[in-house]
Amino acid sequence: MAFLRASGVLLHLTSLPGRYGIGDMGAEARGFIDFLAAGGQTYWQILPLNPTDYGDSPYQCFSTFAGNTLLIDPAKLEAEGFLSAEEIEEIPGFSEGTADYGGAIELKSVLLRKAFERFRVSKKEELRGAYEVFCSENSNWLDDYALFQAIRNANELKPWNEWDESLAKRDEEALNNARGELEEEIYAQKFYQFLFFKQWNELRAYAQEKGVKFIGDVPIYVSHNSADVWCNPRMFKLNEDGSSAFVAGVPPDAFSSTGQLWGNPIYDWDEMRNENFAWWIERIRFTLKTVDITRIDHFRGFYSYWEVPGENETAEHGEWVDVPGYELFGTLKDELGELPFIVEDLGYMTPEIYKMRDDLGYPGMRILQFAFGGDAKHNDLPHNYVHNCAAYTGTHDNETAAGWYQAQFDKEGKISIYGERCLKYLGSTGEEIHWDMIRAVLASVADTAIIPAQDLLGLGNEARMNLPATTDGNWKWRLKPGELSDEIAGRLKEMTEIYGRS
């Protein structure tokens, strides 16, 4: 589908300020929408909203459908009578600027349980009716997800393939017994999801009132320890014991000399084709009910993917395996209509993959940070952009703009050839390199331009969101209260209007 000329800001919800350990869907989220509207922005791009597993990565989740309940705002629960004022005031002090997932889990699990106990005895028929409608409309994923989490909690959070064999292999009698024994916890898990989507839909409605659309994110792969794999083992290449026979990753590249071993289980694409890609249809259908536009992660993996034996410790020794990408996206279009996709066409690309992207009509991504490593024909230089693309100063996987520039100087203060090219191309002195890079992206012909919030602030790599091929210290950066000021909104709006994106 065609995109209007517009721009937006990349900021995950966990990176918002707030009192409860990580950002959430409360007042600060609405305040950020106000900032976007004041700055003339059309889009708020986020990372996946699903419940995260170990490591807190939004790309390793317990479900591709469920919402991350850590994003629920306790203040709204208090306003609706689920919590008392004292309960949300008596909280530990969390440090500003850093997400504390462990602390947030400890705090919010207690608060959510208290909210559930009050809901159980509530006489509010309208509320209970809304809950019943939610459960009915989402039963295709909610029933299995609630059961999965209930069994996982009863098994000391062990992965599903380490449960009793009858449960791991979904013996119907064992599942029925678990449904009976864990009825209350299943009820609670469904209620938590009801709260998440209630708050999300309210936030999205507020954004729509302000003229702001959400760009969501669909990771190509799912976590092995997820309801998706447990419920659909036939669709993945697994061993008899449920472990992954093969796992996903990418071969050695600029990020890592041993490649990136993501560890996600590999799809059995033949089985998915036999089922007419039904799981993908439901996944995308649900996503497009949740957000307005979707970024498709690792697009090259829909043409061919890097398959690594499950027992390997690095991604060096794998092979490329073909995927029926044309068939998949054709089926999605037949079932769902025009698809508002932006595809991540980064990494090891080939002409055939670019052709598939263009044949399908999807906009790819151009990253300004990558532009200065070649000559004037480099694909990521703004004068080489096309209308049907999404231009970024950087993404959640990159250094910040200021951090990238700072890294171009050696210990003696000598600038690299890449830094020199950047300054010459932008006509910049380097004093406000982040704004010079923002201007270049906004001025380009790209229909869509996205700026990470860190670049609006000129923050260094201490504010980097993720470093690929590493597991520690990622996903933790947060805004501090008031950092995105009226002055920044005004400057962004002026630039947005100058380049016709408002």
Side-chain angles (χ1 to χ4, degrees), residues 77-78 80-88 110-124 127-128 187 191:
L77 298 184
E78 186 270 332
E80 295 172 342
F82 290 118
L83 298 174
S84 69
E86 292 75 21
E87 285 166 340
I88 66 168
V110 172
L111 295 179
L112 288 173
R113 194 71 191 190
K114 289 179 178 179
F116 169 65
E117 295 298 340
R118 289 180 180 125
F119 172 74
R120 291 180 64 194
V121 299
S122 171
K123 304 296 185 183
K124 298 179 180 179
L127 179 65
R128 302 193 68 83
Y187 186 8
F191 174 68

Side-chain angles (χ1 to χ4, degrees), residues 82-142:
F82 290 118
L83 298 174
S84 69
E86 292 75 21
E87 285 166 340
I88 66 168
E89 290 298 328
E90 295 174 0
I91 59 173
F94 292 101
S95 62
E96 293 183 351
T98 303
D100 184 346
Y101 292 90
I105 291 171
E106 186 175 342
L107 169 67
K108 291 194 175 183
S109 61
V110 172
L111 295 179
L112 288 173
R113 194 71 191 190
K114 289 179 178 179
F116 169 65
E117 295 298 340
R118 289 180 180 125
F119 172 74
R120 291 180 64 194
V121 299
S122 171
K123 304 296 185 183
K124 298 179 180 179
E125 292 302 322
E126 184 177 350
L127 179 65
R128 302 193 68 83
Y131 167 79
E132 294 297 337
V133 169
F134 170 78
C135 291
S136 176
E137 291 181 346
N138 295 280
S139 60
N140 64 315
W141 64 266
L142 182 61

Side-chain angles (χ1 to χ4, degrees), residues 1-7 43 363 385-391 444-449 500-501:
M1 65 175 285
F3 287 79
L4 298 176
R5 183 172 175 81
S7 59
Y43 301 125
Y385 292 177
V386 295
H387 286 286
N388 192 35
C389 75
S444 74
V445 299
D447 289 335
T448 305
R501 294 188 180 274

